[in-house]
Structures are given as C-alpha cells and as structure tokens.
Amino acid sequence: MPLPSLLIDAFRLTLWLVLLALAFAPLERLFALRRRESRRNWLADLGYFYMSGIVPTMLIAAPLAVVSAGVRAVTPDPYNRAIATLPLGVTILLAILVAEIGSYWVHRWCHRSPYLWQFHAVHHTPDHLDWLVNTRAHPVDIVVTRLGGLVPIYLLGLDGHSSTERGMVPVIVTLIGTVWSFLVHANVRWRFGWLEHIIATPAFHHWHHTNDEHRDHNFAATLPVVDRVFGTLHLPKQWPEVYGIDKPVKPNFYDEVVQPFIPPR
C-alpha cells in the first residue's frame, strides 16, 4: 500500500476511534455491567484497532475480485437481470441474511478447527468485554470471517457488479456489521426483552465469550435466529460470570500474532 494511502487510512481510523470513544466511553461508565478500576492492555488493543482496520482490507480485495469475475463469467444473464430489478432495500436485506449465514458457519468452524482456533483465540483471550475488545483479533481471523460473510454475497450476484449504486451493497453490509460489533462487545448492562431474539445484543454476544459449560454458542453476528435454527442459541436472563479461554495466549506481539503461523511440534 502506498504511503499516502496508508496515512489516509490511519487518519480515517483515528477519526473513527475518536467517534467510537466519545460514544461508548460515557455509556460504559454510566451503564457498566462490571466496574473496573483500570483497563489493562489498552495500548495493545489500540494496536489491534489499527492493524485490524488496515491489514484485512488489503488482504480481502484480491480474493473478492477473483470471485466476482468468476461469477460474472458463469452466471446466466436472466439471473443477473432478475437480481438487478430487485429494489435496493431488498437486495441489502438479502445480502445481510446471506452474509449472516456464511459468517455464522465460518465463525463456528473457527471454534472447531484447531488450526483456525489458534488465530481466533486471540479475540477470546480477554477476561472482560468492552467496545474496544471488538477489534482485538488476529488479522487472519478477521480475513477468514469477513470472507465467510462476503463471498456468498458475491457468489449470488448481490454485489451489484453492473451498478455503481448496488456495488455499495457489500460495503453497507460490512459497515453495519462493524458498527454493530462494537455495540455487542460493550460493557453495558442493557437488556432488550423480546428484541434480543431478533437482533444481536450485548447479552447475546457476551454469552459467546463465556468460558464455562455454555461456551461455543451464539456464533451469529447480528441475527440470533440463525443460532436458533442451527441449535447454538443460549440466551438466559442472567449474564455470564467468567470470560476468556482455558489457555490464554501470552499478551505479546510474537505469541498473539506470529506464533499461530507456526505449526505445533
């Protein structure tokens, strides 16, 4: 990536960070689920924020371009025209549903595959949750899960390759998912009653991070109904008591970022 583009991305992320902090810092202070005297590893989390905002974007562009070109080459024109005639709002809703199902199975796979878990475990290491933990993730993990949601959109032609307006659909889906991810990781004690079974909430996702007998539930990003359909929904009235993983990753750059690439002996 050219230096000017990198600087622009860093500035964009800094502005985004300031806006998120202004929104979530007061909320987590006023409505904290759990009070903490100080926030550990905040410098590392800031590093992950910038790395997660720059590196994955660079890595997913090429695979998505290949998928898009391949789909255009084999998809019948009548199908493309049918998709193009759908209202933009309907296309976005379909894309969100398709992305949700795709990312659900990839996310679930990351918990089942010992190799992928090495990367995904970085996100589950913290023994607490707050909005900034959302970006505490290995770049490979972000690339895999994001492709899991975006590739099905491109395979079904919902990316609007023939229209500039509809070409924004994957961007809109990614933006919605990104913003919502900060909310569901937030350290807030809000509960939303019946709405929690329709859209992901902090309680829903906090149970995904639990480290007790209820671990490996709630893999969906925004739609809990996907977990209900596939039998992985867990949403009791109480909050989880413990977070993290059994064998935490050492909190340094080598063990968290480099070590997962090295096959175990």
Side-chain angles (χ1 to χ4, degrees):
M1 179 180 290
L3 184 58
S5 297
L6 189 62
L7 292 175
I8 291 172
D9 281 344
F11 175 78
R12 172 181 57 82
L13 287 169
T14 301
L15 180 60
W16 183 227
L17 177 64
V18 171
L19 294 175
L20 288 168
L22 289 174
F24 283 103
L27 293 177
E28 292 192 334
R29 181 170 293 273
L30 291 172
F31 305 101
L33 173 64
R34 291 181 174 86
R35 299 286 180 181
R36 296 199 310 276
E37 295 299 325
S38 62
R39 193 186 192 288
R40 294 175 296 172
N41 300 324
W42 63 273
L43 280 176
D45 287 348
L46 284 178
Y48 275 108
F49 176 85
Y50 283 96
M51 183 167 60
S52 300
I54 294 175
V55 177
T57 302
M58 297 166 55
L59 296 178
I60 67 173
L64 290 179
V66 171
V67 172
S68 181
V71 169
R72 287 200 302 270
V74 301
T75 305
D77 287 337
Y79 177 82
N80 288 330
R81 288 194 294 269
I83 293 296
T85 58
L86 291 174
L88 180 60
V90 173
T91 303
I92 293 173
L93 290 176
L94 285 174
I96 290 174
L97 179 59
V98 167
E100 188 76 1
I101 295 173
S103 62
Y104 167 90
W105 282 108
V106 171
H107 189 181
R108 190 168 173 176
W109 184 30
C110 288
H111 281 249
R112 295 289 186 266
S113 165
Y115 181 69
L116 291 178
W117 173 250
Q118 293 182 100
F119 299 100
H120 189 59
V122 173
H123 182 58
H124 282 266
T125 295
D127 58 4
H128 68 278
L129 286 189
D130 59 35
W131 65 274
L132 194 53
V133 169
N134 174 47
T135 55
R136 187 179 180 83
H138 196 287
V140 171
D141 180 41
I142 297 176
V143 168
V144 170
T145 54
R146 192 169 293 177
L147 286 176
L150 290 176
V151 167
I153 293 176
Y154 282 76
L155 288 176
L156 294 177
L158 297 172
D159 60 304
H161 54 257
S162 60
S163 167
T164 302
E165 180 186 55
R166 291 175 182 273
M168 290 298 294
V169 169
V171 177
I172 293 171
V173 172
T174 301
L175 182 60
I176 292 173
T178 300
V179 172
W180 208 255
S181 291
F182 284 103
L183 173 62
V184 299
H185 285 87
N187 178 31
V188 292
R189 60 180 182 269
W190 299 336
R191 298 302 298 255
F192 296 89
W194 59 270
L195 279 174
E196 294 187 340
H197 295 273
I198 297 177
I199 191 163
T201 62
F204 170 83
H205 195 69
H206 275 232
W207 276 108
H208 176 68
H209 281 264
T210 189
N211 189 30
D212 58 18
E213 67 273 18
H214 301 296
R215 62 169 69 93
D216 294 335
H217 286 83
N218 301 0
F219 296 102
T222 56
L223 301 177
V225 67
V226 177
D227 279 284
R228 181 175 294 279
V229 169
F230 295 116
T232 52
L233 179 66
H234 181 72
L235 193 56
K237 293 182 179 180
Q238 70 271 23
W239 292 81
E241 294 294 333
V242 58
Y243 301 85
I245 56 179
D246 292 336
K247 297 180 180 179
V249 180
K250 294 180 181 179
N252 60 66
F253 184 84
Y254 178 82
D255 286 295
E256 290 189 331
V257 178
V258 179
Q259 183 64 37
F261 289 106
I262 303 174
R265 294 180 180 179

